[in-house]
Amino acid sequence: MNTSLSWIKAYVPNLECTDQEYTDAMTLSGTKVEGFERFDKNLSRIVVGQIDKIEKHPDADKLIICQVNVGAEVVQIVTGAPNVKEGDKVPVVLDGGKVAGGHDGGALPEDGIEIKAGKLRGIESNGMMCSIEEFGSSRDFYPEAPEYGIYIFDDSVEVGADAIEELGLHDTVFEYEITSNRVDCYSILGIAREAAATFKTEFRPPVVSVKGNDEDVNDYIKVSIKAPDLCSRYCARVVKNIKIAPSPKWMQRRLSASGIRPINNLVDITNYVMLEYGQPMHAYDLDTISGHQIIVRRAEEGDEFETLDGQMRKVDSEVLMICDAEKEIGIAGIMGGENSKITDDVKTVLFEAATFSGSNIRKSAKRVGLRTDASGIFEKGLDPRNAEEAINRACQLIEELECGEVVGGMVDVKEEFKPLVVLPFEPDRYNALLGTDISKEEMLTIFNRLELVYNEKDNTVTIPSFRQDLLGRADLAEEVCRFYGYDKVPTTLPSGEATTGKLSYKLRIEQKARDIAEFCGFSQGMCYSFESPKVFDKLLLPADDVLRNTVTISNPLGEDFSVMRTISLNGMLTSLATNYNRRNKNVKLYELGNIYLPKAVPVTELPDERMQFTLGFYGDGDFFTMKGVIEEFFECVGMKEAPVYDPNAGKPFLHPGRQANIIYKDVVVGYLGEVHPVVCDNYNLNTKAYVAVLDMPTVQGFTTFDRKYEGIAKYPAVKRDLSMVVPKDVLVGQIEAVIRQRGGKILESLELFDIYEGDQIKEGYKSVAYSVFFRAKDRTLEESDISGAMKKILNGLNGLGIELRQ
């Protein structure tokens, strides 16, 4: 949002401040000024001169010698401009003056260009006549300027006057950052109201009155709304006997300063009102409207519509259209149609000011691929009460500028307005919230400046309709604070009952996962949730694998980001491969991220989002290194029982002989293993890599942070070593399960210290050795206790085909 200071001062006439003071004060009161630019910062000593006499240059065919009256004197200027003649009034830079730039279209010099007296081909020249480009502007904003040559003033301009003033360049444009909830500040009047409240001075909005003729507008146009959920109000007025002409200079200057190119009086008035009131308007040629009817309805599915820019737009049943009795003539809130545009031959104009659903306009703009200044305002949600004032303002300007004859009356089709918001006036609670001690009277003074109405009888504050952001006590407290002055609010300590803030249980578990991973040398990575369907082929998943059922994105960035991931390994393997191919050694990564499992395909409800703890590494380490990290994590989160590893995991992306499901209390909580060599090749990862994935919602069900203190053992431990010959198909996990089950209460721990396969062991077997530790908490163990426990253990091991090694 940009505004010129001169336009603001038209409604805040007593505003006196420098540009920097205005910037600082407005920003501090909540209307953030991003920056400002003075139009005349590089312009000096430029006056209006009149050419009294022109002679040809004796030594140059394309140069002329002009005698220019600048009021106090007549100066001689040599120029090559082709468009000047005797009697013309032109801007003249006197000796020592400055201009902003030139005709080359390049960047303007920071300090301008100084003009000095000199000679051109031997003839003295004591100044320079200016084009509009030399003022730092262009024909876009001064359409009356010649395409090439000196700017020519009207005859009404006084010789010797300040040319900068005559061009409206003694002005500053401010750029604001307006938050989307302050739709009232997307208007000159909204900014002016804020400025008046900030500087504690009077706000004078324009007084709107329309005379109109004795006719009835209902004889010219009928309006019906068939989609009241998308259009809550539609105001229409008719102007006949239109006279297309340039708009007055003051209007052109204000539009130009706000970044809008002047076109003609009719278009300029609609743009002017949009800027002034923040209410977009549209004008239709009434003679092109069939049946003199306006019908506001949804588009037909699959329709195409040609907009004013000459483009065919595809629309659907969710796009709101403005139609006549036969056809569509505009996309509501976005752009009118080519078939009803205003031409120079227009005789009768229909003005439209409406209130459309902001969310629908935003979605429609995306659907048709067209976003305009109007749609950008509509999508924020307008005050329906503003439409009538804005359309009347446009008709007032029509009458004042003698652009046409306004037909009496207005067609107004609307839903019942929502009642104004009424809030209790609670000064003590505002002060408690702010930590201030502001008096009731000062608060009411601030509210009065903001047009908030205080009802003393009910002790309530009525919020004006244009302040849609004021809905509760905190909003009123904020209004008090920002105009009292944030810089005046004292530093106070918070009061109230102390509460303990901490992470939720789920987040505590995830934090432990991070801690353990980083303790074990892993670095955190973050991978995209959007993936390509080709990922499943790279991971060797069968065609009927349930993981291929995905949530498909309706508006993807491309095929590579078209589905939500159902497995977390693609991002991890991609990251490992990137590091490997950049010659990083011994890379360990982990990620905590969701996968998205659809409950039905096609998707009918939100998917099941499951947090996955994914680890991956290559370099130093193997399968058992990863297993150790998993067990370290389990112990840290209170999962005291030893997990079981089932080698029959059946994961096609893992090495068939080096993979396992991780089972805890008969529930699969994840898997780990070496990545299949083919999968490594698919990712251009030419080394062994290892991964592990834990399903955190499942893991969380077994975790606990409860800890029970146990004192230091008072009685000695007894150690026994078991050296066994074990069939190769028996897993150490099975051995440990038997030892723990049969060791009884006196079994304290066990430790695997040797596995051997070789010539000394018979074929089909391996040698496995354990240290088993026994201890009683209440006494010293006797040999009979230990012998009994060992006997039970050996009997259990015999059932697995295990023999003691001789």
Side-chain angles (χ1 to χ4, degrees), residues 357-367 371 375 378-379:
S357 165
S359 59
N360 177 260
I361 295 299
R362 181 172 178 81
K363 292 175 182 176
S364 297
K366 286 181 173 291
R367 280 188 172 90
R371 196 166 188 269
S375 69
F378 271 122
E379 67 188 25

Side-chain angles (χ1 to χ4, degrees), residues 567-767:
I567 184 171
S568 60
L569 285 185
N570 175 65
M572 177 58 67
L573 293 176
T574 301
S575 298
L576 291 175
T578 300
N579 278 277
Y580 178 79
N581 289 300
R582 292 181 181 173
R583 300 186 179 182
N584 292 327
K585 297 181 178 180
N586 301 322
V587 172
K588 294 182 177 181
L589 300 175
Y590 78 93
E591 181 199 14
L592 279 164
N594 285 337
I595 59 172
Y596 304 83
L597 305 177
K599 298 174 182 176
V601 177
V603 176
T604 57
E605 57 181 316
L606 292 175
D608 183 14
E609 298 185 27
R610 302 191 69 83
M611 177 65 69
Q612 305 291 289
F613 180 26
T614 308
L615 300 124
F617 75 86
Y618 65 81
D620 294 341
D622 56 17
F623 178 95
F624 298 102
T625 305
M626 187 68 82
K627 177 173 173 284
V629 176
I630 298 299
E631 293 178 357
E632 184 79 18
F633 168 64
F634 282 177
E635 183 176 353
C636 186
V637 293
M639 298 169 67
K640 296 299 184 182
E641 293 187 15
V644 175
Y645 299 90
D646 180 6
N648 301 312
K651 305 295 183 185
F653 42 81
L654 297 180
H655 193 294
R658 300 168 191 167
Q659 60 172 282
N661 276 336
I662 305 169
I663 301 173
Y664 190 83
K665 293 186 176 180
D666 299 326
V667 177
V668 177
V669 296
Y671 56 87
L672 80 162
E674 181 183 324
V675 180
H676 198 291
V678 175
V679 174
C680 285
D681 288 342
N682 291 341
Y683 283 90
N684 197 23
L685 182 60
N686 299 321
T687 187
K688 289 183 179 181
Y690 299 88
V691 294
V693 178
L694 292 177
D695 184 61
M696 294 300 279
T698 305
V699 169
Q700 184 178 327
F702 299 109
T703 59
T704 178
F705 288 111
D706 294 339
R707 298 290 187 268
K708 183 179 179 181
Y709 169 76
E710 292 185 2
I712 299 173
K714 297 180 180 180
Y715 302 98
V718 178
K719 174 185 173 185
R720 290 287 187 271
D721 289 340
L722 279 174
S723 181
M724 301 167 283
V725 178
V726 181
K728 283 189 176 181
D729 58 352
V730 175
L731 305 176
V732 292
Q734 295 173 274
I735 298 173
E736 291 181 3
V738 170
I739 295 174
R740 285 194 175 93
Q741 180 185 1
R742 292 180 169 262
K745 293 182 179 180
I746 63 171
L747 177 67
E748 183 176 66
S749 63
L750 64 155
E751 179 181 325
L752 174 68
F753 66 87
D754 182 57
I755 296 179
Y756 172 75
E757 294 182 34
D759 295 339
Q760 299 178 19
I761 305 299
K762 59 184 177 179
E763 187 174 351
Y765 285 80
K766 58 188 174 183
S767 173

